[in-house]
Amino acid sequence: MSLEAAKRIEMSETQRHAGVTHGSATKNYYSRSRREIRSLLPSRASRILEVGPGAGFTLMWLKSIYPAVTTCGVELNPALEADLQEHADVAIIGDIDHLISQVASKFDLILLLDVLEHVPDPTRTLQAITRNLLMDGGRVIVSVPNIAHLSVTLPLLFQRRFAYADSGILDRTHLKFFVEDTAVKLLNDANLIVKDGLMTGLEGPKSNMLDRVTLGFLTHHLAKQYIMAGEPTGDRTAQPKVGWKKSRLIS
């Protein structure tokens, strides 16, 4: 497959699934609801924490699934405080690395979606959150971008270049990069076993066709994100092979 063909697939599917123009991308980023995690949710939840919730639309959606749940969002961007207060039961503004001691409760579901790649030490942050804020038997859902995606690897291979962008896998604010093994290791190092995993980026017909034509050889190069559901392990249980599923578009 040529570099130009890969770019066309990347651009057309990103624009179609985002449903926004470049000028509204920032607004969409903070106001979207991450419904693709539906299959990773536990059957019950009483207290939910989302780190980096933006305007809180995912927390608002989770209220429709767990009507009696108490939701809490910890958001770095102070401009989103009013919206987050509207959509979450508790809104806290600040850096999670500095606020863990101020979060008074423990939670049975914690979300870190597109968050850990932005922090200086993702392992330390996840360890602290798991140790201090996760209830026994709770679940953590984490998503991280896949640096092995074709949109990154093909320009490196054929043009010896990569370029940071305002969003996406090479977002200029990303401090850490992940592939499948390091994404899973991130959770394992926080004493979490990955129970279920989703890959995003294969939802569109072109990516699906390319995945089928190559008999799955390019699956992990077509995946834009790994979304993982982790649960604590009290012993040295080995991480089983993750049975990755393709994320589905859910409206």
Side-chain angles (χ1 to χ4, degrees):
M1 182 177 63
S2 70
L3 176 58
E4 289 305 315
K7 286 182 177 179
R8 286 196 296 272
I9 290 174
E10 170 77 7
M11 291 177 63
S12 64
E13 297 206 344
T14 297
Q15 291 169 354
R16 182 163 60 84
H17 296 321
V20 296
T21 64
H22 179 72
S24 61
T26 299
K27 181 178 179 180
N28 180 73
Y29 180 82
Y30 288 119
S31 63
R32 62 180 173 158
S33 175
R34 297 294 299 273
R35 300 188 179 209
E36 69 270 27
I37 69 171
R38 182 67 180 90
S39 65
L40 301 180
L41 296 175
S43 58
R44 291 178 295 176
S46 59
R47 300 188 64 84
I48 298 175
L49 168 68
E50 183 173 11
V51 180
F57 282 87
T58 298
L59 290 174
M60 183 174 67
W61 165 64
L62 289 171
K63 274 276 194 180
S64 69
I65 298 173
Y66 310 108
V69 76
T70 299
T71 60
C72 176
V74 176
E75 171 58 45
L76 185 64
N77 187 347
L80 298 170
E81 183 173 10
D83 285 334
L84 184 56
Q85 287 177 340
E86 180 180 350
H87 299 134
D89 295 315
V90 179
I92 302 173
I93 300 300
D95 186 336
I96 186 62
D97 282 331
H98 302 142
L99 292 175
I100 287 177
S101 62
Q102 297 181 33
V103 179
S105 302
K106 287 200 170 188
F107 303 86
D108 46 12
L109 177 61
I110 298 177
L111 308 180
L112 296 108
L113 305 175
D114 302 344
V115 169
L116 292 172
E117 63 269 26
H118 295 276
V119 303
D121 191 336
T123 299
R124 184 182 64 189
T125 296
L126 185 56
Q127 286 173 340
I129 290 172
T130 301
R131 182 172 59 250
N132 293 288
L133 301 180
L134 186 64
M135 292 179 184
D136 292 340
R139 173 166 281 211
V140 179
I141 300 178
V142 172
S143 70
V144 293
N146 175 30
I147 196 67
H149 190 265
L150 286 175
S151 63
V152 178
T153 58
L154 285 179
L156 278 171
L157 179 62
F158 291 109
Q159 299 177 346
R160 304 189 309 281
R161 69 170 182 83
F162 68 92
Y164 288 105
D166 292 331
S167 61
I169 296 170
L170 287 176
D171 186 317
R172 65 184 78 256
T173 65
H174 288 179
L175 302 179
K176 302 292 181 180
F177 298 96
F178 298 90
V179 293
E180 179 193 9
D181 287 351
T182 54
V184 173
K185 187 176 185 298
L186 173 66
L187 271 67
N188 292 166
D189 287 347
N191 296 318
L192 299 169
I193 292 292
V194 178
K195 295 288 189 178
D196 295 290
L198 298 175
M199 295 182 290
T200 71
L202 295 103
E203 302 91 341
K206 292 181 180 179
S207 290
N208 250 318
M209 179 186 67
L210 185 57
D211 190 35
R212 290 196 304 271
V213 167
T214 59
L215 303 178
F217 179 76
L218 290 179
T219 298
H220 286 275
H221 293 281
L222 293 167
K224 293 180 180 177
Q225 284 183 322
Y226 293 110
I227 310 178
M228 301 162 288
E231 296 179 358
T233 174
D235 52 27
R236 294 290 181 177
T237 304
Q239 171 67 55
K241 184 175 176 60
V242 179
W244 297 103
K245 299 180 181 67
K246 297 178 184 179
S247 173
R248 296 185 300 109
L249 291 175
I250 302 177
S251 58

